[in-house]
Amino acid sequence: MSLFWRIFGLNALVLGAATALLLWAPVTVSVPVLLTEAVILVGGLAVMLVANAALLRWGLAPLGRLTRLMTTVDLLRPGQRLPVPGAAGGREVSELIRTFNAMLDRLEHERATASGRVLLAQEAERRRIAQELHDEVGQSMTAILLVLKRAADDAPDPLREELHQAQEITREGLDEVRRLVRRLRPGVLDDLGLISALTSLTQDFTTHTGLRVVRRFDTDLPGLDQQTELVLYRVAQESLTNVARHAEAGQVEVGLRRAGETVVLEIADDGHGIGTAYEGAGIRGMRERALLAGATLDITSAPGTGTRIRLTTPDPGPSISGPGPTALDTDVTAPDPGPTASEPRKQP
């Protein structure tokens, strides 16, 4: 039955019931209308309106659910669909919900494809900038250091001290350029793999923020493709950046483990949490990267209990584990006050 005939039938049912009651009830209408007759007529009208509203609400309930889903759907959280009602739901309503679900399928696919192109272009641009910083700026600053050293060796004592200070400033700038190059394009990820890259990332995070980092890395991880490893690394990088900027935490736990046929990355802090705050560009960027890898990103947080970010990505291949320990459990403590950080425990 179409939606038109459903609504028409519901109204006809209510009006027919009201007409039958008027025909069979021993109620007459006087002129002028008596008070008791007016009460009966108004009461009957109220009952008829309530019955009509209830029946219409039941008949149009699928449209209400569709409207609520339209206002809350987020393409970065795929899989939100409405069940298609059966024959009782109406042909038009079922077709509308089916069409809306198909539209969500198409939009999610197009969003994932577009996000993939954007992220790949972003990584290519980062690689180019990192290469230019390394080749141009880094080499120029290295040459400046050499020139300052030669000038300091031949300069008198008062000028020599100033040249040494200029050397230190230049050396610090060169170290910062190298740190930026590592953030833009983590070469250790390509050379030594994901665990080594995350280890280097957490050590650098501890050195520059002073926060305590606890690492728990399984060693029996499956073989991951380059794109998935990059997604895991970028999500961990953005999560640590958010902790340093917003969480006001004292400790961060970074875990990478294998759970059945999936690889799970978890970053948890003991900060003040994000509550129901609006998701900024950083979190939405992580969701886009998760879509790129076909992974799911879950963020749980409550005020005063910290934030936990979990990225679960499909297992693309068999285990590449070898003999030895099953996990790397490392505690990276914030360095003592001074120019350098304390050495973390050596990795197996």
Side-chain angles (χ1 to χ4, degrees):
M1 184 181 297
S2 67
L3 184 62
F4 168 79
W5 287 110
R6 284 167 58 85
I7 295 177
F8 179 81
L10 292 174
N11 284 294
L13 177 63
V14 173
L15 293 175
T19 302
L21 288 174
L22 288 176
L23 291 175
W24 295 334
V27 178
T28 58
V29 179
S30 305
V31 181
V33 180
L34 299 179
L35 179 60
T36 55
E37 295 173 348
V39 170
I40 293 175
L41 290 176
V42 172
L45 177 63
V47 171
M48 184 175 62
L49 293 177
V50 170
N52 190 35
L55 291 174
L56 286 177
R57 178 178 291 275
W58 171 76
L60 298 178
L63 293 180
R65 293 194 297 270
L66 179 62
T67 301
R68 288 192 295 272
L69 180 61
M70 286 180 174
T71 59
T72 59
V73 68
D74 187 353
L75 296 180
L76 295 180
R77 293 178 174 86
Q80 296 173 296
R81 299 293 185 273
L82 272 179
V84 180
R91 187 176 65 250
E92 285 92 346
V93 175
S94 299
E95 187 63 26
L96 180 61
I97 293 177
R98 192 178 294 109
T99 303
F100 180 71
N101 289 341
M103 182 189 69
L104 286 181
D105 291 336
R106 186 178 67 255
L107 289 177
E108 287 178 0
H109 175 72
E110 292 176 355
R111 176 63 183 267
T113 303
S115 297
R117 293 195 188 100
V118 170
L119 292 175
L120 291 176
Q122 184 184 78
E123 290 298 331
E125 185 67 11
R126 285 185 173 188
R127 188 182 301 109
R128 185 187 65 81
I129 295 175
Q131 190 69 34
E132 290 185 359
L133 284 174
H134 179 271
D135 294 343
E136 303 296 333
V137 180
Q139 292 184 8
S140 297
M141 297 183 73
T142 302
I144 292 173
L145 279 175
L146 295 176
V147 173
L148 289 174
K149 184 179 183 304
R150 288 197 300 268
D153 292 340
D154 300 334
D157 291 338
L159 182 58
R160 183 179 303 165
E161 183 64 26
E162 294 183 2
L163 290 175
H164 283 320
Q165 292 180 0
Q167 277 184 286
E168 289 302 318
I169 295 173
T170 306
R171 186 174 290 108
E172 291 175 359
L174 182 59
D175 291 339
E176 184 66 20
V177 169
R178 289 170 177 168
R179 188 180 70 86
L180 290 175
V181 169
R182 289 196 301 271
R183 286 182 61 85
L184 288 171
R185 184 59 185 174
V188 66
L189 180 63
D190 298 329
D191 300 334
L192 301 179
L194 180 61
I195 291 180
S196 296
L198 292 178
T199 300
S200 176
L201 176 66
T202 53
Q203 290 175 349
D204 187 63
F205 175 80
T206 300
T207 301
H208 287 85
T209 64
L211 297 180
R212 182 169 175 259
V213 178
V214 177
R215 296 192 300 261
R216 293 186 173 91
F217 297 157
D218 286 356
T219 58
D220 61 341
L221 296 177
L224 301 174
D225 58 81
Q226 185 178 7
Q227 178 174 284
T228 302
E229 286 190 345
L230 185 59
V231 168
L232 289 166
Y233 180 86
R234 291 300 187 196
V235 169
Q237 186 181 52
E238 183 61 35
S239 300
L240 292 176
T241 301
N242 288 340
V243 170
R245 290 179 178 175
H246 310 296
E248 299 180 4
Q251 176 178 302
V252 186
E253 293 185 7
V254 180
L256 188 67
R257 58 186 175 86
R258 181 174 185 169
E261 297 301 317
T262 62
V263 175
V264 180
L265 171 71
E266 286 188 338
I267 298 96
D269 64 76
D270 59 356
H272 55 64
I274 60 177
T276 58
Y278 173 75
E279 292 187 356
I283 293 180
R284 296 189 67 82
M286 288 191 288
R287 293 195 183 279
E288 289 182 350
R289 291 185 181 279
L291 284 179
L292 180 62
T296 57
L297 182 72
D298 298 315
I299 301 176
T300 57
S301 178
T305 62
T307 303
R308 180 178 297 273
I309 295 177
R310 176 181 297 176
L311 179 70
T312 305
T313 185
D315 182 359
S319 172
I320 57 172
S321 60
T326 59
L328 302 179
D329 193 345
T330 309
D331 184 352
V332 182
T333 307
D336 295 329
T340 59
S342 58
E343 279 293 320
R345 189 188 310 173
K346 187 176 181 180
Q347 298 293 318

